[in-house]
Amino acid sequence: MSALTVDTFKQIIQERLQAELVTVEDMSGGCGQAFAVIIVSPLFQGKNKLMRHRLVNNALKEEIAGIHAFTQKGFTPDEWAAQGGKV
Amino acid sequence: MFRRALTNIPRFTTVRPNFSYPVRFMSTEIKEAIDQAVASSPVVLFMKGTPEFPQCGFSRATIQLLGQQGVDPEKFAAYNVLEDQELRDAIKEYSNWPTIPQLYVKGEFVGGCDIITSMAQTGELAELLEANDALVPETDDGIEEAEITPRR
């Protein structure tokens, strides 16, 4: 698998998690090994944190296995709106 | 703070069989060793490095959070996955979780650094630890609590 870029990773997340909004931050300084992501998706509805993380981990299994660090925050569209569209 | 944790590292000096096998399938032996580790204390953390010398920012952050919550060192054990490649591979499969650190409380998987951070912010982490009697007991002679009301 070629190295992930912010854009390709973002696209993958958008597709696989039906995300309305995805931000991907490369924390590696460019080597493509560490990403922090925020995902806003209706799929998170009714799921607690652990279930959300597992959903993301499973959907991005290969990608996560190939990088060094991965940190995620997941919100439903309603939660995201309620907190004013920011973390 | 978690000094005792270091003495709590039991049996990950496993003997490697001299044939290679895909790491995706963990051996019964390592699974049992992890079962034991998970059950070894009410609060168990699989981390990179030791509580005194975490070797990764996520492990460091998690240790700090547990310390801030007041986790009782007597009820805490940490396992350094960097000491054992077999453990490092197997724990991900065991927990079905791709990253380190991983926190267990009373044998239940809680989550990784993101989840613990978020639970600490909402107070859920304190509740969970409290409910499982994993915090340092409050003493009468300590200054655990002080009522500070401004004089008017």
Side-chain angles (χ1 to χ4, degrees):
Chain A
M1 195 171 60
S2 59
L4 276 180
T5 65
V6 167
D7 288 339
T8 54
F9 200 25
K10 195 171 166 174
Q11 206 179 340
I12 289 170
I13 295 171
Q14 239 152 13
E15 283 167 13
R16 294 194 199 154
L17 290 156
Q18 301 169 27
E20 293 185 3
L21 186 134
V22 182
T23 69
V24 175
E25 189 190 342
D26 185 343
M27 304 187 302
S28 68
C31 78
Q33 287 285 302
F35 293 99
V37 307
I38 297 170
I39 304 170
V40 179
S41 164
L43 296 184
F44 293 141
Q45 191 69 48
K47 293 189 170 63
N48 69 18
K49 283 185 199 104
L50 190 57
M51 290 156 76
R52 291 178 189 194
H53 280 237
R54 286 211 191 276
L55 182 73
V56 173
N57 291 345
N58 285 332
L60 306 174
K61 205 169 188 141
E62 283 173 26
E63 286 74 17
I64 295 173
I67 59 183
H68 173 71
F70 179 72
T71 163
Q72 58 171 306
K73 287 195 172 83
F75 305 97
T76 65
D78 286 348
E79 289 165 356
W80 186 248
Q83 56 190 35
K86 55 183 176 357
V87 179
Chain B
M1 171 178 298
F2 288 129
R3 188 169 297 280
R4 183 174 165 275
L6 280 179
T7 63
N8 248 342
I9 298 168
R11 48 152 303 185
F12 283 109
T13 48
T14 45
V15 181
R16 250 169 218 285
N18 55 6
F19 54 90
S20 62
Y21 51 88
V23 290
R24 295 195 56 82
F25 304 106
M26 79 184 130
S27 66
T28 317
E29 186 193 359
I30 187 86
K31 185 183 175 301
E32 281 170 3
I34 296 177
D35 280 341
Q36 251 176 39
V38 164
S40 65
S41 266
V43 182
V44 174
L45 186 70
F46 295 91
M47 64 180 291
K48 290 182 178 172
T50 63
E52 286 82 357
F53 299 104
Q55 289 184 41
C56 158
F58 298 105
S59 289
R60 176 178 299 113
T62 303
I63 282 290
Q64 276 172 356
L65 286 172
L66 294 175
Q68 283 162 11
Q69 302 289 326
V71 169
D72 188 345
E74 298 288 317
K75 293 173 178 165
F76 176 78
Y79 295 89
N80 181 1
V81 304
L82 297 181
E83 277 191 346
D84 189 322
Q85 185 62 42
E86 213 180 354
L87 170 63
R88 187 177 178 176
D89 295 331
I91 191 66
K92 296 180 181 176
E93 189 188 339
Y94 182 93
S95 307
N96 185 23
W97 197 258
T99 50
I100 310 287
Q102 299 182 4
L103 181 71
Y104 280 82
V105 173
K106 284 276 168 72
E108 291 277 326
F109 181 69
V110 178
C113 184
D114 287 330
I115 287 188
I116 297 159
T117 304
S118 152
M119 287 176 73
Q121 282 163 0
T122 59
E124 287 167 85
L125 184 60
E127 275 174 35
L128 177 73
L129 294 168
E130 177 104 62
N132 286 286
D133 194 25
L135 300 178
V136 174
E138 292 195 24
T139 50
D140 290 336
D141 51 3
I143 319 176
E144 298 278 338
E145 243 175 66
E147 200 170 325
I148 301 170
T149 43
R151 287 172 191 274
R152 286 168 200 266

